[in-house]
Amino acid sequence: MQDDASHSPTYTVPCEDYVHVVEFSPFCSGSSASLLAYGGNQYVVVGTIIFQEEDMEVEGVDFNVLRAFHHELRVDALAWSPESRLDRIPMIRLCTAAADRKLRLLTSDLQEKHEVKVMEGHSSYVNHVVFEPTEGKQIASVSDDHTCRVWDVDGTESVIFRLLSPGVSVCWHSQEVFKLMVAEKKGTIRFYNLVTQEAMLSLDCGTLSFADWCFPNPIKVGAVSGNDWLIWDVTRSSYAQEKRPAHMDKARLFKWSRANENLFATTGCPGKMSSQVLIHHLGNSSCQKLFKIG
């Protein structure tokens, strides 16, 4: 496609109120449908979604609400647990963060059991939260209070890493669950060993908005800083191997594809004049911008 190609939404799911955060479950749901959650001012909605490309009997998109959770405050961050499945004994489990600096663990069997466990410890705004990706027994969060905290799902705070600036994102290694990546606003990305609770490696750049660890190939790390995206090969150098401008009004998020190590997306900052989602493909010698949305 052309670099300046712009796309209107292919599918739309109607919602009753403002939506602040949306997350597909990156894990197998145990059914033909994917799991999708979105959060607004005082609620989280969980449902299944199937697109017509996945099922010939579906016209457009089929979204079915499974459960709506009451949430005391606006949802600012949301993460799926790998324990969320619809086969065998159905269970939905999510973790949210809100402006009251608390995490909430939402669990439902989609029948009679619906629990909300509140986890307190952060002293400032929580910017990102993520589950350990293999069993989902731990949660990591980063905050403007200059900490990364690791929690057990019973609510116990098991590890605290003191940071030198606000934490903007946190990621687990896709296979080695004792490794954690933490990105700090001032431009440092550190890799921690959860067993020794020590930093193993660090990467450097300018002020960071977000960083992501490539799930299919963990030697790759991507981030956005200022208007640019950056990519590292962690086996080569602490400085980025690639850096390109992406957004005129500052970049906000960087996300790798879960299926293809050469695909990633970046977003601009909400509310800016040119706030877009850009899809990029890393070629053999260059990076091609596939298309933009917005």
Side-chain angles (χ1 to χ4, degrees), residues 197-210:
Q197 298 186 21
E198 295 180 348
M200 305 178 294
L201 177 70
S202 66
L203 308 175
D204 299 300
C205 70
T207 302
L208 277 170
S209 297
F210 199 88

Side-chain angles (χ1 to χ4, degrees), residues 57-249:
E57 296 183 2
V58 173
E59 184 176 344
V61 62
D62 183 21
F63 179 74
N64 291 300
V65 174
L66 297 175
R67 168 72 182 168
F69 292 89
H70 174 72
H71 202 273
E72 294 180 24
L73 296 169
R74 189 183 86 170
V75 181
D76 292 320
L78 186 155
W80 279 96
S81 166
E83 293 185 285
S84 297
R85 295 182 66 89
L86 300 176
D87 58 350
R88 302 191 299 272
I89 302 174
M91 184 175 80
I92 296 296
R93 176 166 281 173
L94 306 137
C95 186
T96 66
D100 60 359
R101 310 165 186 174
K102 299 174 184 178
L103 304 184
R104 289 171 173 82
L105 183 65
L106 314 179
T107 305
S108 173
D109 64 2
L110 301 179
Q111 295 182 33
E112 298 180 356
K113 178 185 175 183
H114 309 293
E115 296 180 352
V116 179
K117 185 186 298 292
V118 178
M119 294 181 281
E120 301 184 48
H122 283 295
S123 59
S124 189
Y125 189 85
V126 179
N127 294 309
H128 193 215
V129 59
V130 65
F131 276 89
E132 181 274 307
T134 58
E135 297 183 356
K137 300 303 183 185
Q138 289 186 306
I139 301 164
S141 57
V142 287
S143 166
D144 283 351
D145 65 7
H146 295 205
T147 68
C148 171
R149 298 169 190 253
V150 179
W151 316 74
D152 297 331
V153 291
D154 65 1
T156 303
E157 187 179 83
S158 58
V159 179
I160 301 177
F161 294 113
R162 304 292 178 183
L163 312 179
L164 298 179
S165 66
V168 294
S169 62
V170 57
C171 301
W172 246 286
H173 191 286
S174 56
Q175 289 93 35
E176 300 175 31
V177 297
F178 62 91
K179 293 181 180 178
L180 197 68
M181 185 191 86
V182 179
E184 298 185 35
K185 185 176 182 179
K186 79 178 186 72
T188 301
I189 302 172
R190 287 190 175 86
F191 300 83
Y192 292 94
N193 185 313
L194 289 173
V195 177
T196 64
Q197 298 186 21
E198 295 180 348
M200 305 178 294
L201 177 70
S202 66
L203 308 175
D204 299 300
C205 70
T207 302
L208 277 170
S209 297
F210 199 88
D212 194 26
W213 208 346
C214 184
F215 193 86
N217 184 359
I219 72 168
K220 290 182 178 181
V221 171
V224 282
S225 173
N227 299 335
D228 305 326
W229 60 257
L230 305 92
I231 291 177
W232 290 261
D233 176 337
V234 298
T235 64
R236 294 176 58 185
S237 170
S238 63
Y239 296 100
Q241 279 71 57
E242 295 198 55
K243 179 179 179 180
R244 305 282 176 86
H247 297 270
M248 294 176 56
D249 293 320

